Amino acid sequence: MIKCIVFDVGRTLMEYVDMPNVWTEYYRTAFEYANEKLNLAFDADKINRAVEILRSFNPTVNYREKEISPTVIFENIKNELQINVDTQRFISVFFDSFHFKAVIYSDTVEVLKKLNEKGYIIATLTDVATGMPDELHKSYFKELMPFFDMYVSSSSCGFRKPNPKGVFDIAEKFNLKKNEIIFVGDEKKDMKTAENFGCLSVLIDRKNQNNNYGQNFTVHNLSELLNVLQEIGC
C-alpha cells in the first residue's frame, strides 16, 4: 500500500517560464551581468574562462551524481580568475541576471491538498541547478513548501538523480518500505531513480511526448495521479 508520494519539483509541480532544462546557454550573459554589477574587470577571455569552468561543473556536460555546493563552484571560478569578491554576493548577482519567473501548475495545489487530506506523506526529491543555492531554489515555490512533510534536494542529500540517496533518506525518516513509496517526475532520471530505489514510478507527460522511460504509469496532469492511486488500491 502506498503511504508516501515523492515528487520531483521542476516541470512536475512548477516550471521556470521560458527556461530550458539545461541552462548553459545563459552562463555568458550571467557572467557579463555580474562583471558589470560587481566591477570585476573581466575581459572577453576571462568571461570565456568563467563560462568554461561553470560548464565543467554542469552534470549534463560532465556527468556526476555527487552534488557540489555553489560556494565550492564559485570559489573555484574566483581562484582560477584571481578575482576578489565576496562569494555569496557573486552567486547572488549571477543568478539575479536570469530574472526567473516561476509558475505553479494550475493542478498542483489542488492535488497536493487532496493527497494531504487522504493522509499521504508528501515529499520531494529535486535536483538544484548547477551553482544555485538551495534557499534560492525553494524561494520560487515557497507556497508549496507547507505541503511537504519532507523536502529533499540534491543539495540536502548530497547526490543528484538518478542516485536514489534522497529517496532512501525519505524512507528512513518515515520508516517506509520500498513498496510504500511512489515517485512522480517528468524526466528519464526520475524514472531511473525510482528503479534504482525499487519503488513504483509515475511519469508526468504534460506535453504528450509519449516517452517510455520504463515507468510503471504515465499521467498527463496531476489530477490523473489520483486515478493511479485508486487503481492500485491506495
Side-chain angles (χ1 to χ4, degrees), residues 17-112:
V17 178
D18 297 326
M19 292 296 291
N21 279 337
V22 181
W23 296 359
T24 52
E25 63 190 79
Y26 288 83
Y27 289 174
R28 182 175 304 280
T29 299
F31 279 119
E32 289 172 347
Y33 180 87
N35 186 35
E36 178 183 351
K37 294 295 181 180
L38 298 174
N39 300 311
L40 300 177
F42 280 1
D43 57 17
D45 287 341
K46 282 195 172 184
I47 292 287
N48 289 338
R49 182 59 184 145
V51 170
E52 289 173 6
I53 296 168
L54 186 54
R55 275 179 56 85
S56 73
F57 284 102
N58 188 299
T60 304
V61 177
N62 289 320
Y63 181 80
R64 63 179 167 85
E65 291 185 6
K66 188 170 177 60
E67 189 59 286
I68 301 173
S69 76
T71 299
V72 168
I73 292 172
F74 278 84
E75 286 188 348
N76 187 288
I77 295 170
K78 285 173 50 180
N79 292 337
E80 284 276 339
L81 301 182
Q82 297 182 331
I83 57 174
N84 183 19
V85 62
D86 178 76
T87 303
Q88 302 311 313
R89 175 66 175 153
F90 191 12
I91 295 169
S92 177
V93 172
F94 177 89
F95 282 104
D96 281 347
S97 72
F98 284 71
H99 304 296
F100 291 116
K101 180 181 178 182
V103 173
I104 307 296
Y105 292 127
S106 59
D107 54 0
T108 296
V109 171
E110 179 184 359
V111 171
L112 291 180

Side-chain angles (χ1 to χ4, degrees), residues 2-4 113-122 149:
I2 300 300
K3 296 182 179 179
C4 174
K113 282 181 179 178
K114 288 181 178 179
L115 294 173
N116 186 275
E117 290 168 0
K118 291 176 181 292
Y120 288 104
I121 297 165
I122 301 173
D149 297 292

Side-chain angles (χ1 to χ4, degrees), residues 63 65 125 157 159-167 193 196:
Y63 181 80
E65 291 185 6
L125 179 56
C157 76
F159 289 89
R160 302 179 69 85
K161 297 175 288 189
N163 188 296
K165 171 64 163 55
V167 191
T193 300
N196 289 342

Side-chain angles (χ1 to χ4, degrees), residues 6-14 16 67 123-129 134 137-138 141 145 148 150-161 166-167 170 183-184 187 189-190 193:
V6 180
F7 288 99
D8 170 52
V9 175
R11 305 199 180 204
T12 297
L13 303 178
M14 53 78 70
Y16 294 110
E67 189 59 286
T124 71
L125 179 56
T126 177
D127 283 345
V128 181
D134 204 9
H137 180 55
K138 288 192 288 186
F141 48 91
M145 293 300 294
F148 304 145
M150 186 174 182
Y151 169 87
V152 181
S153 70
S154 55
S155 294
S156 66
C157 76
F159 289 89
R160 302 179 69 85
K161 297 175 288 189
V167 191
I170 293 165
F183 192 99
V184 184
E187 293 185 78
K189 66 179 179 179
D190 296 319
T193 300

